[in-house]
Amino acid sequence: MEKEEQNLVNMGEEDEMEIHGYKLCRWKLALVTVGVVCTGGFLLLLLYWMPEWCVKATCTKATLKDCNVVLLRRTDEFRTWFRAKVQILLAPGLNPFDDLEPQNEKVVANGNGIHLLEYNTEDNEKNPKNYSETTTKKIRHFTHHSVKYFWNDLIQNFEVMKGLEEGVFCSSMHDDHSKGLSKEVQNYRNLFFGVNEITVKVPSVFKLLIKEVLNPFYIFQLFSVILWTTNEYYYYALAIVIMSVISVISSLYTIKKQYVMLHDMVSTHSIVRISVCRANNEIEEVMSTDLVPGDIIIIPASGTIMPCDAVLISGTCIVNESMLTGESVPVTKTYLPNPTGGPKGTEDDEIYNPEEHKRHTLFCGTNVIQTRFYTGELVKAVVVRTGFSTSKGQLVRSILYPKPTDFKLYRDAYLFLLCLVMVAGVGFLYTVVNSIINKVPASTIVIESLDIITITVPPALPAAMTAGIVYAQRRLKKMGIFCISPQRINICGQLNLVCFDKTGTLTEDGLDLWGVQRVENSRFLQSEEHASVDSLVKSKFIACMATCHSLTKIEGVLSGDPLDLKMFEATGWWILEEATEEETALHNQIMPTVVRPPKQLLSDLEARMDQEMELYELSTSYEIGIVRQLPFSSALQRMSVVARVLGEKRMDVYLKGAPEVVASLCKKETVPEDFTEVLESYTKQGFRVIAMAHRKLESKLTWHRVQNVSSRDTVETNLDFLGLIIMQNKLKTETPAVLEDLRKANIRTVMVTDKSGDNMLTAISVARDCGMVLPQDKVIVAEALPPKDGQAAKINWQYTDNPTKCMTRPGINSEEIQMRLENEASDNWQRDRYHFAMNGKSFAVIVEHFQDLIPKLVLHGTVFARMAPDQKTQLVEALQRVDKARGIVDESCPPTTALKRAHSGISLSELEASVASPFTSKMPNISCVPNLIREGRAALITSFCVFKFMALYSIIQYVSVTLLYSILSNLGDFQFLFIDLAIILVIAFTMSLNPAWKELVSQKPPSGLIAAPLLFSVLSQILICLTFQLLGFLWVKQQPWYETWTPSSNACNLSYSNLLHSKNSTHHLDERNIENYENTTIFFISCFQYLSVAIVFSKGKPFRQPGYKNGLFVAALVILYALVFLMMLYPIEAIDQALQILCFKWKFKGMLLSIYNIYCLYALVFQNGIDHWGERFLSWLLCHSKRVPKAKYMHLAQELLVDPDWPPKPKTTTEAKAPPQENGSYQIITIT
């Protein structure tokens, strides 16, 4: 039998899954039903917890084509299973983009692929309602995580039904999808895409209760309560039930509150009335829930909340995208260019992509503030995605179905619990054998042997371990840091690398104009501080500054990108958003944005000279209308506008962007020869540099031709270089100190800037200024070049030093600040600290051609400039592969894949988009990062302390019960109650209150429980506890007054005549043999051990404040110690009767105190020895055994220390080589 080929859905995406088909099997279902009845429903619970077992137990394997149940499994490290039921959809066609014309053979192209359809009848016309039942198609589909997967015969697999976001050419958007849909076609497509609504259903309290109660933890609680009730531990069982009810109510309240909050956020403006264009050019108002991909919607002039993702095909919109990006700066959206005159699929005709064409796409949930349009025409957009497929829908899905948290602590906790279960198994067997030997009734054997399991696995363990996280979350809230994923607080304690965005995170949000440097006659002039001077009013340079932007007036206030705003304000010009009819007529039918210099109002007009009068006339008549805007593209790193000066026939193109890009688009003779040197002089000082260019368009390019230009290359070429604008982005005052704290704590910091961010040399300068790169550190620039002209891809390595900070205008003398390549190969250059820096283009080449170098580069990579979103994700994954625990800090933190992949994402924004980030800080600076790491470390250590304490509690009680079982005794009901409620819960919840240590230290907390120091600590304490309990158990039997206890027994020297009379008259037969001297001895010793273990494991410095600063913990210890001492030394009749404890002679009481003192001494000495010498001993042992570090990055760092060829020497090249085999993909070539 051939091996079944593996099928995948969402291939190559984050939620990629294996898919397997199954058919329901009746005889298997009958067997499972019998099994459920025989096991009292436990089998049903097991199948509920394990979906793969459920499917395999009730179904048989089938092909995907014939299955009615699918089993899905994630392909990531979690390997989570899901199941879904396949349903049947009846529709007149197989493809939502069919026009349903009856043809014998018809191939239909659409955004989801190409399908071959055959129709056997010719009676049906275009209206799908006329189709008879014989032509109705059965379409199989299933729903998983709010996404529908439809069967595709061509690929023999299920796939997500795409709208128009894939596989559609830009020209097709205008030619094929701009005519609107008929009502019938809309209804037909609605069968596939469903209602256009992002619904977050708030489950009823009953459903939440059932789901919460079916948690394995509560099922174990229920089992324990039933067992305790059977064993007549009524009070203890009742106390546990009350605690469980309180825990369930608290959990239900929290979950319900989160659902309601998310529902309210999503439902705000989610359903609106909107106008659509029908195929017959009629305009109809419909509910937004009826929209489907392909509908033409009309954007009202007053604006609206977008109910879907749509691409503009006419007009312009001003949009606030804070819901998605976290930035409240209005963005201008222009219509999608229409490449005409050539066949579809040519170079000029791109395939539409919402991410690449986001400047033309209106995203769901964003707020359209206002529109601009042609006179007499409407602003139209084609719906491309609806429902959960939209950008907002994907954001909501990431919150509803978060990726599981993978943390070593939780994995180790399960392993440790498994070990406790094994220990319980040993106790179970011992109890059974011992009870049979002593001829104990079978019912008692079953109850007591199962009771051992409930003792060994503490039911309160999950709640106790969660306490530290809850307290840390409260402390973070007081600091202005909010968390939606509390489990990630522990993970923050393990962070050893933090990635920062630059602008708005490390530096201020705004930019200041530092100066301009114009070019005349292909030479740089002296830099100028101000641009708003009279002599430059009519210059092309100032015209470029005044027009090349995306600013708009909203309610009379100029809004837009901060850089554009600063640049425009520097000109001193005015912007006129809504031109009058006369002004509009002067330009064209199009309503342009008009800019002009301010009017020069002089008080003494008669005294004005002719030159001054000429200037006055100029300023009142000189204005420029922006005819067409080609918005900024992060991929192209530039934007441009087509403008016309009033009164001139020919139009102008003004362009700005990254200097290297702008220079490449200009005529070579207009670019100064020292362009590179001057540019480097500014970027090395941390300035952000923008280049400007201009071109006079030909007279044949009329207004309408300009509007229909499809390719930017048509106008953005053959330009004249105008000069540079130098912007200054200052560091936030908190940045250097925070990065210094992180450096001292051995936490690496990395700068990752956006695709539209600064030049790489600017980023390096900022990294040096903020302390991310120290003055003495080397920075190695990796410039990777793709294969070209038959030559292999290569990386050029350049070394740069830290230039002297020069605040004078360095435009002329650039030799002093020129990038210096290291010419000498000194002996100590390898031993210096070094950092790698690269831009997004180089990173893309390295990922494609130099896979073997990636781990080495990310190990020391510090500056990654102009990185695209997918490149950020690749970087995060590369860091993950070398076992780096990383966090991402961004001023906005939009819901990118990189943010989701990071262990901890921190948003410095309070806008709606930040709900996708695990942490949101009210502080608009990175000072939240050390606070979060400190609290994470404190919570992590608290989890360790509580886990060790609860483990020791279980073992101590297990030893106590096992010893008492040997004499057919046990702890009493109120003894269990006193230990578990008065001691264990009080201590577990108060020992978690220790706040974080006041500063970050270089020492890292352990990441898991399966670590030698922690295991040795727990095992040593177990042996000590076992020894002293056994000692007390045996010692009491050696006392001369010892006898089998009866109601008349009295080991005390006190007169108990009244007590004896009372006991003799009311005492009932002690059937369970609770009241005996062994029981009382074990009870007191174990109580002292619980309290002592709490002190031993209440670890403080260097991650938490010392235990004595935890007031509640200290108070609880003092009170409990006093209570136990009081019960032992001064018996109280009521307490003794309730706890079923006996009185000892004073001499034996002194012996018990001596045993306790010796125990405390041993326990404290062992624990202190492990804390102080354990790590050193293990380090010494590892050094002598030459063991390889577990962390991959540490192992790699050790290898690189002895690698003579790493880091690459100055002025060398790493060249890719096509390997004959898989290994060995590059070679080092030294260039002389």
Side-chain angles (χ1 to χ4, degrees):
M1 185 175 179
E2 294 184 2
K3 186 179 179 180
E4 181 189 4
E5 185 179 353
Q6 187 182 53
N7 290 299
L8 298 174
V9 293
N10 304 326
M11 187 179 297
E13 299 179 18
E14 185 185 9
D15 55 349
E16 180 182 86
M17 294 177 290
E18 301 171 7
I19 182 170
H20 308 275
Y22 287 87
K23 267 192 173 181
L24 193 64
C25 179
R26 299 189 179 218
W27 66 266
K28 279 190 173 185
L29 188 60
L31 283 179
V32 169
T33 304
V34 173
V36 170
V37 173
C38 294
T39 58
F42 179 74
L43 179 60
L44 185 62
L45 276 174
L46 192 62
L47 297 180
Y48 171 77
W49 294 331
M50 310 291 288
E52 72 276 19
W53 290 9
C54 180
V55 172
K56 291 177 181 178
T58 57
C59 303
T60 55
K61 192 76 176 173
T63 62
L64 290 177
K65 187 174 183 180
D66 302 320
C67 68
N68 49 29
V69 176
V70 293
L71 191 58
L72 303 164
R73 189 183 191 183
R74 294 179 69 107
T75 57
D76 56 16
E77 67 272 22
F78 302 103
R79 310 291 289 173
T80 313
W81 290 93
F82 306 95
R83 65 178 174 216
K85 184 179 179 182
V86 177
Q87 298 176 324
I88 303 297
L89 170 69
L90 298 178
L94 296 176
N95 189 343
F97 295 97
D98 285 337
D99 57 11
L100 298 181
E101 291 181 0
Q103 297 179 14
N104 292 333
E105 276 189 11
K106 184 177 179 69
V107 177
V108 182
N110 61 79
N112 194 41
I114 300 203
H115 295 260
L116 184 65
L117 302 179
E118 297 182 1
Y119 299 111
N120 298 322
T121 62
E122 297 180 0
D123 301 330
N124 302 309
E125 299 298 331
K126 294 183 180 180
N127 191 343
K129 290 184 177 180
N130 297 332
Y131 271 71
S132 64
E133 293 184 3
T134 57
T135 61
T136 300
K137 310 293 182 181
K138 291 184 177 181
I139 304 172
R140 302 168 62 249
H141 69 94
F142 67 89
T143 303
H144 172 66
H145 286 178
S146 303
V147 174
K148 281 186 178 181
Y149 294 79
F150 288 84
W151 175 253
N152 188 334
D153 269 328
L154 293 180
I155 62 174
Q156 289 293 297
N157 198 0
F158 288 93
E159 64 176 353
V160 178
M161 183 64 71
K162 301 289 186 181
L164 298 178
E165 71 269 29
E166 287 186 9
V168 179
F169 287 101
C170 294
S171 59
S172 183
M173 284 290 187
H174 288 273
D175 300 338
D176 302 330
H177 298 284
S178 62
K179 300 178 179 62
L181 304 178
S182 65
K183 187 67 176 176
E184 292 76 15
V185 173
Q186 186 189 53
N187 292 335
Y188 169 57
R189 292 189 182 181
N190 189 266
L191 294 174
F192 293 88
F193 295 104
V195 177
N196 174 36
E197 187 178 9
I198 303 170
T199 55
V200 178
K201 295 181 180 178
V202 180
S204 65
V205 175
F206 178 75
K207 285 185 178 180
L208 289 175
L209 177 64
I210 295 299
K211 187 175 181 180
E212 187 71 16
V213 169
L214 292 182
N215 185 293
F217 164 65
Y218 290 112
I219 296 300
F220 182 69
Q221 289 271 40
L222 178 62
F223 166 75
S224 302
V225 167
I226 294 172
L227 188 65
W228 295 328
T229 305
T230 307
N231 207 16
E232 299 180 1
Y233 290 136
Y234 301 117
Y235 296 105
Y236 184 64
L238 180 61
I240 294 298
V241 167
I242 293 173
M243 287 174 51
S244 299
V245 169
I246 293 173
S247 177
V248 168
I249 292 174
S250 174
S251 180
L252 289 181
Y253 172 77
T254 303
I255 295 172
K256 182 85 172 179
K257 183 179 178 182
Q258 290 176 347
Y259 268 109
V260 171
M261 182 183 69
L262 184 60
H263 174 269
D264 292 344
M265 182 197 80
V266 172
S267 61
T268 305
H269 306 296
S270 60
I271 301 177
V272 296
R273 296 196 68 85
I274 197 159
S275 299
V276 298
C277 293
R278 292 298 180 201
N280 54 5
N281 292 326
E282 291 184 359
I283 296 177
E284 179 183 349
E285 196 173 73
V286 299
M287 297 300 296
S288 60
T289 51
D290 297 330
L291 295 177
V292 295
D295 267 327
I296 305 298
I297 60 175
I298 298 172
I299 312 299
S302 58
T304 184
I305 301 293
M306 287 300 297
C308 59
D309 287 354
V311 57
L312 277 171
I313 56 173
S314 67
T316 304
C317 293
I318 310 299
V319 185
N320 185 336
E321 294 187 324
S322 60
M323 195 285 300
L324 290 179
T325 65
E327 298 177 359
S328 56
V329 175
V331 179
T332 301
K333 302 280 185 171
T334 60
Y335 64 86
L336 186 73
N338 181 16
T340 56
K344 290 182 174 61
T346 59
E347 291 184 3
D348 293 340
D349 193 4
E350 300 178 321
I351 293 179
Y352 170 74
N353 181 281
E355 182 60 33
E356 294 178 5
H357 297 90
K358 62 183 178 182
R359 286 290 184 173
H360 314 295
T361 305
L362 304 173
F363 293 104
C364 179
T366 58
N367 182 14
V368 178
I369 302 171
Q370 63 184 39
T371 63
R372 301 179 193 160
F373 47 88
Y374 293 90
T375 302
E377 294 194 18
L378 301 172
V379 178
K380 297 180 182 179
V382 180
V383 177
V384 293
R385 292 187 297 205
T386 58
F388 278 98
S389 298
T390 63
S391 50
K392 182 177 179 180
Q394 293 169 13
L395 170 62
V396 174
R397 285 182 63 234
S398 69
I399 300 172
L400 286 175
Y401 315 106
K403 190 175 181 180
T405 303
D406 181 32
F407 192 40
K408 196 172 186 295
L409 170 65
Y410 306 124
R411 297 198 305 267
D412 290 352
Y414 289 124
L415 290 175
F416 205 92
L417 285 176
L418 185 61
C419 294
L420 290 179
V421 171
M422 293 172 64
V423 172
V426 175
F428 179 88
L429 293 176
Y430 167 77
T431 304
V432 172
V433 172
N434 182 65
S435 300
I436 292 174
I437 292 173
N438 289 280
K439 298 180 181 180
V440 176
S443 59
T444 306
I445 294 176
V446 172
I447 292 173
E448 290 186 344
S449 56
L450 290 176
D451 193 31
I452 278 286
I453 298 176
T454 65
I455 290 171
T456 311
V457 183
L461 177 62
M465 288 191 66
T466 306
I469 298 175
V470 172
Y471 296 147
Q473 188 177 11
R474 289 180 181 175
R475 292 193 295 267
L476 287 172
K477 189 174 181 180
K478 291 180 180 178
M479 299 177 189
I481 302 172
F482 298 91
C483 174
I484 65 168
S485 180
Q487 296 299 326
R488 289 183 182 263
I489 296 177
N490 269 347
I491 299 177
C492 290
Q494 277 294 308
L495 291 180
N496 51 26
L497 182 143
V498 183
C499 299
F500 293 96
D501 184 29
K502 187 184 83 69
T503 305
T505 304
L506 298 174
T507 62
E508 299 288 351
D509 286 312
L511 293 166
D512 296 321
L513 183 69
W514 185 80
V516 298
Q517 190 150 12
R518 295 183 298 118
V519 170
E520 284 188 7
N521 300 322
S522 302
R523 297 188 64 180
F524 278 114
L525 302 178
Q526 286 283 354
S527 58
E528 300 161 277
E529 187 173 356
H530 301 289
S532 56
V533 293
D534 294 345
S535 59
L536 299 179
V537 167
K538 207 173 180 180
S539 68
K540 298 299 181 185
F541 188 90
I542 297 301
C544 186
M545 291 180 65
T547 57
C548 196
H549 53 71
S550 57
L551 299 178
T552 182
K553 269 190 176 179
I554 300 174
E555 296 181 355
V557 179
L558 204 58
S559 303
D561 185 89
L563 186 147
D564 288 348
L565 200 57
K566 286 286 183 182
M567 186 179 69
F568 183 78
E569 288 174 350
T571 64
W573 283 38
W574 293 349
I575 188 167
L576 183 63
E577 190 69 29
E578 299 177 357
T580 62
E581 292 184 6
E582 293 80 4
E583 290 171 326
T584 303
L586 291 172
H587 293 274
N588 199 273
Q589 292 181 349
I590 301 170
M591 294 278 284
T593 298
V594 179
V595 296
R596 65 187 179 194
K599 295 181 179 181
Q600 305 294 323
L601 301 176
L602 300 179
S603 57
D604 191 2
L605 294 180
E606 291 84 1
R608 184 180 296 275
M609 296 168 45
D610 292 343
Q611 183 179 358
E612 292 173 336
M613 197 64 187
E614 183 181 345
L615 179 61
Y616 174 78
E617 293 173 354
L618 169 67
S619 61
T620 56
S621 60
Y622 182 69
E623 60 183 38
I624 304 174
I626 302 173
V627 178
R628 170 84 185 272
Q629 184 186 100
L630 300 172
F632 177 80
S633 166
S634 57
L636 300 176
Q637 298 180 12
R638 66 180 187 264
M639 77 161 292
S640 62
V641 294
V642 178
R644 195 194 74 164
V645 177
L646 178 62
E648 293 189 6
K649 294 183 178 179
R650 295 172 63 182
M651 289 177 284
D652 300 276
V653 174
Y654 295 104
L655 180 141
K656 72 172 183 183
E660 316 92 273
V661 175
V662 173
S664 67
L665 299 173
C666 293
K667 303 172 188 173
K668 288 186 178 180
E669 61 271 17
T670 64
V671 180
E673 294 180 358
D674 58 346
F675 166 77
T676 303
E677 290 79 5
V678 172
L679 174 61
E680 287 181 1
S681 72
Y682 288 119
T683 56
K684 291 284 285 182
Q685 294 179 74
F687 292 115
R688 183 167 187 177
V689 183
I690 308 295
M692 318 283 280
H694 164 261
R695 172 191 169 189
K696 201 77 172 177
L697 287 178
E698 297 82 3
S699 56
K700 64 179 181 180
L701 287 174
T702 61
W703 288 90
H704 294 289
R705 286 190 178 181
V706 166
Q707 297 301 326
N708 294 323
V709 166
S710 59
S711 174
R712 299 176 65 141
D713 296 337
T714 305
V715 294
E716 294 178 346
T717 186
N718 206 29
L719 301 160
D720 294 330
F721 193 79
L722 294 178
L724 304 174
I725 297 177
I726 301 96
M727 311 293 289
Q728 188 175 20
N729 193 202
K730 298 177 181 178
L731 284 174
K732 291 183 178 179
T733 54
E734 301 85 0
T735 297
V738 171
L739 295 182
E740 176 66 14
D741 289 343
L742 295 177
R743 186 184 66 81
K744 289 180 179 178
N746 286 334
I747 297 173
R748 267 192 63 204
T749 52
V750 174
M751 183 190 300
V752 186
T753 69
D754 292 330
K755 184 75 174 176
S756 58
D758 293 325
N759 178 285
M760 184 176 59
L761 294 179
T762 301
I764 293 174
S765 175
V766 173
R768 287 194 181 276
D769 291 343
C770 67
M772 195 174 285
V773 176
L774 297 179
Q776 67 272 18
D777 293 353
K778 298 282 176 61
V779 176
I780 306 172
V781 178
E783 182 188 8
L785 303 174
K788 187 178 181 181
D789 300 331
Q791 296 182 353
K794 60 183 180 181
I795 305 175
N796 296 324
W797 308 100
Q798 294 183 341
Y799 280 52
T800 178
D801 62 353
N802 185 17
T804 304
K805 195 77 175 181
C806 179
M807 292 308 295
T808 58
R809 309 287 172 180
I812 305 293
N813 188 5
S814 59
E815 296 180 0
E816 297 178 2
I817 44 159
Q818 181 180 354
M819 175 187 284
R820 180 170 61 87
L821 296 178
E822 301 290 342
N823 295 319
E824 68 279 3
S826 58
D827 294 335
N828 63 346
W829 68 274
Q830 284 194 57
R831 294 190 291 271
D832 291 339
R833 283 171 49 92
Y834 60 92
H835 307 259
F836 288 107
M838 67 195 73
N839 57 25
K841 291 181 179 179
S842 295
F843 185 79
V845 175
I846 291 170
V847 168
E848 184 175 357
H849 299 283
F850 299 90
Q851 278 288 331
D852 295 340
L853 282 179
I854 292 177
K856 298 181 179 181
L857 291 174
V858 299
L859 187 65
H860 289 277
T862 300
V863 177
F864 296 87
R866 293 179 178 172
M867 298 282 281
D870 60 326
Q871 292 174 335
K872 291 183 179 181
T873 303
Q874 291 170 343
L875 175 61
V876 169
E877 290 173 344
L879 290 167
Q880 185 180 13
R881 285 194 291 270
V882 294
D883 292 342
K884 281 285 187 180
R886 68 245 171 260
I888 294 182
V889 185
D890 197 304
E891 86 282 7
S892 56
C893 259
T896 60
T897 306
L899 175 61
K900 297 174 189 174
R901 293 284 176 90
H903 289 126
S904 299
I906 310 171
S907 171
L908 305 185
S909 169
E910 297 181 61
L911 295 171
E912 193 173 1
S914 64
V915 297
S917 175
F919 299 95
T920 304
S921 173
K922 278 190 172 182
M923 295 177 287
N925 56 67
I926 62 172
S927 59
C928 61
V929 177
N931 293 334
L932 182 58
I933 296 176
R934 285 191 304 105
E935 290 295 344
R937 289 181 174 185
L940 184 59
I941 293 300
T942 298
S943 296
F944 288 142
C945 294
V946 171
F947 192 92
K948 290 193 292 183
F949 173 72
M950 296 298 289
L952 258 294
Y953 145 67
S954 298
I955 297 298
I956 291 171
Q957 198 168 83
Y958 169 78
V959 170
S960 301
V961 173
T962 304
L963 289 174
L964 293 175
Y965 274 2
S966 67
I967 60 170
L968 303 181
S969 180
N970 199 352
L971 293 172
D973 192 1
F974 280 96
Q975 287 177 343
F976 275 122
L977 202 62
F978 177 78
I979 291 171
D980 287 4
L981 297 187
I983 296 180
I984 301 305
L985 284 183
V986 171
I987 293 298
F989 285 100
T990 55
M991 75 185 300
S992 304
L993 287 170
N994 289 36
W997 188 246
K998 55 189 175 183
E999 60 186 21
L1000 279 177
V1001 295
S1002 58
Q1003 183 181 347
K1004 297 288 193 304
S1007 60
L1009 293 166
I1010 311 302
L1014 289 174
L1015 287 178
F1016 189 64
S1017 170
V1018 172
L1019 291 176
S1020 63
Q1021 294 297 329
I1022 289 174
L1023 289 175
I1024 295 172
C1025 291
L1026 173 62
T1027 301
F1028 282 88
Q1029 279 204 47
L1030 187 60
L1031 177 63
F1033 181 77
L1034 297 176
W1035 202 348
V1036 71
K1037 293 183 179 182
Q1038 305 302 319
Q1039 302 306 309
W1041 45 262
Y1042 174 80
E1043 62 179 355
T1044 303
W1045 187 87
T1046 63
S1048 60
S1049 300
N1050 179 18
C1052 295
N1053 295 325
L1054 304 175
S1055 174
Y1056 267 13
S1057 58
N1058 294 333
L1059 176 61
L1060 290 176
H1061 181 268
S1062 174
K1063 286 195 173 184
N1064 287 328
S1065 61
T1066 61
H1067 182 75
H1068 298 283
L1069 183 63
D1070 185 10
E1071 296 178 353
R1072 293 186 296 160
N1073 189 24
I1074 302 299
E1075 294 179 273
N1076 54 68
Y1077 293 114
E1078 292 92 336
N1079 172 287
T1080 303
T1081 302
I1082 291 296
F1083 173 74
F1084 281 121
I1085 291 178
S1086 63
C1087 285
F1088 285 130
Q1089 286 181 338
Y1090 297 134
L1091 298 175
S1092 300
V1093 165
I1095 297 173
V1096 168
F1097 285 155
S1098 184
K1099 189 177 178 65
K1101 189 178 177 180
F1103 304 114
R1104 300 198 307 167
Q1105 296 284 352
Y1108 61 82
K1109 290 191 175 182
N1110 184 348
L1112 288 176
F1113 178 62
V1114 173
L1117 284 175
V1118 171
I1119 293 172
L1120 288 171
Y1121 264 120
L1123 188 58
V1124 175
F1125 276 119
L1126 179 66
M1127 289 189 299
M1128 187 178 74
L1129 298 178
Y1130 300 98
I1132 301 173
E1133 179 183 349
I1135 295 178
D1136 288 357
Q1137 285 185 0
L1139 294 178
Q1140 295 176 278
I1141 56 178
L1142 307 178
C1143 182
F1144 296 124
K1145 287 182 176 293
W1146 273 98
K1147 183 178 179 181
F1148 189 72
K1149 293 177 182 178
M1151 290 180 181
L1152 282 181
L1153 289 177
S1154 300
I1155 291 175
Y1156 170 66
N1157 290 330
I1158 297 171
Y1159 163 75
C1160 282
L1161 180 64
Y1162 270 93
L1164 290 172
V1165 167
F1166 265 83
Q1167 188 60 37
N1168 287 331
I1170 292 169
D1171 289 343
H1172 287 87
W1173 301 102
E1175 287 288 344
R1176 297 181 185 179
F1177 175 75
L1178 286 174
S1179 300
W1180 175 84
L1181 193 64
L1182 290 175
C1183 290
H1184 281 72
S1185 61
K1186 296 182 179 179
R1187 289 185 60 184
V1188 177
K1190 290 184 179 180
K1192 294 178 183 178
Y1193 73 91
M1194 295 179 66
H1195 174 56
L1196 180 60
Q1198 285 188 355
E1199 288 184 349
L1200 295 182
L1201 282 176
V1202 295
D1203 187 349
D1205 296 324
W1206 195 263
K1209 294 180 177 63
K1211 299 184 69 175
T1212 59
T1213 297
T1214 301
E1215 191 171 286
K1217 180 182 179 181
Q1221 298 177 352
E1222 290 185 1
N1223 52 353
S1225 61
Y1226 62 91
Q1227 60 180 351
I1228 304 293
I1229 302 175
T1230 303
I1231 300 177
T1232 58

